[in-house]
Amino acid sequence: AAPPPASGPARPLPEGAVLVSAGNQWDYVDYAALSREVRAGRLSVVSVLYDVIAADLPWTTPAPPDLYHRHWVEIGHLSSRLVAISEHTARQYRALIGAPNLIEVPIDACPLPLAFVARAASLSPVPVPSLEGRRFVLYVSTIETRKNHQLLLHAWDRLLRELPPEAVPQLVFVGAWGWGTEATRLMVERNWRIAQHLQVLSGVPDEALLWLYRHAMFAVF
């Protein structure tokens, strides 16, 4: 393979530069280079914190937990402020990462805006034909290990063992298939008991999603 092209001279950072990191940067960030800029006073870093699931439930993440743990420790020491997407995430970070690593960076809880909720008033709900006139329970989420769809599948299997089929509502998953879903796929594809009580929907437009939320018995997450 041809060597990568040489990079040009680095541009000096403008005075008072602030780097806002709102992505999952553990795969590519150069912590040492970032640290040099911060320590030299040329840069302030603000990092968005989504969760620390790998520290609490390490078996639910695709990469080794050490990768995420190092990232959370590094941003704690490098950032002038963290912005967590919930009070729970802020508490979890302080307990699982901050306290054990002597990190005292300020953390603000700032829930993400919900564009779907903001748009709901302007949308016209579109029914999902396979669910019209039926009772159903809704779960909207990427289908992957850490979202725990298996728990719901086991619950519905038990309901169908203990109750008449007509007493059990439909279970509706809305979302694309993600990683680590082998066991979930097997249950979806081969469990004959729940086959008639489960629907998996992907690529659902907002108008149909609005209808689903408004007509579900309740939603789970």
Side-chain angles (χ1 to χ4, degrees):
S7 60
R11 295 180 180 179
L13 292 169
E15 185 177 352
V18 178
L19 171 65
V20 178
S21 178
N24 296 332
Q25 64 271 52
W26 45 71
D27 285 328
Y28 57 85
V29 69
D30 185 338
Y31 297 114
L34 201 59
S35 178
R36 285 194 296 271
E37 298 301 316
V38 170
R39 294 180 186 283
R42 293 187 291 265
L43 180 68
S44 295
V45 178
V46 176
S47 297
V48 178
L49 186 64
Y50 294 93
D51 61 60
V52 288
I53 289 174
D56 190 28
L57 306 169
W59 60 90
T60 64
T61 51
D66 290 352
L67 174 70
Y68 307 110
H69 187 273
R70 183 200 171 182
H71 168 70
W72 291 323
V73 172
E74 293 278 7
I75 64 170
H77 288 302
L78 290 172
S79 300
S80 59
R81 185 169 295 272
L82 297 180
V83 180
I85 65 167
S86 69
E87 292 284 359
H88 175 74
T89 293
R91 287 194 300 269
Q92 289 285 87
Y93 182 88
R94 291 188 185 102
L96 300 176
I97 306 298
N101 293 282
L102 304 179
I103 296 171
E104 298 181 351
V105 59
I107 305 177
D108 295 310
C110 182
L112 295 174
L114 299 176
F116 178 70
V117 173
R119 293 184 58 227
S122 64
L123 297 176
S124 297
V126 174
V128 176
S130 61
L131 290 167
E132 285 190 283
R134 308 186 74 171
R135 297 179 309 132
F136 63 92
V137 174
L138 182 65
Y139 187 18
V140 181
S141 161
T142 303
I143 304 171
E144 61 179 46
T145 299
R146 70 192 183 100
K147 302 296 186 178
N148 211 8
H149 291 73
Q150 277 188 271
L151 176 64
L152 290 172
L153 294 171
H154 285 297
W156 251 250
D157 184 79
R158 180 172 175 178
L159 288 171
L160 288 161
R161 291 173 185 267
E162 298 179 356
L163 299 173
E166 62 273 14
V168 180
Q170 292 278 293
L171 176 59
V172 179
F173 292 161
V174 175
W177 288 91
W179 64 273
T181 59
E182 293 81 3
T184 303
R185 279 189 181 274
L186 282 175
M187 289 193 69
V188 168
E189 295 170 0
R190 299 189 184 183
N191 189 321
W192 59 267
R193 197 179 346 266
I194 62 176
Q196 300 303 312
H197 283 76
L198 173 68
Q199 294 192 38
V200 180
L201 309 175
S202 297
V204 174
D206 284 351
E207 292 80 1
L209 187 60
L210 181 62
W211 184 89
L212 288 167
Y213 273 120
R214 287 184 176 177
H215 288 80
M217 296 173 66
F218 53 88
V220 293
F221 62 95

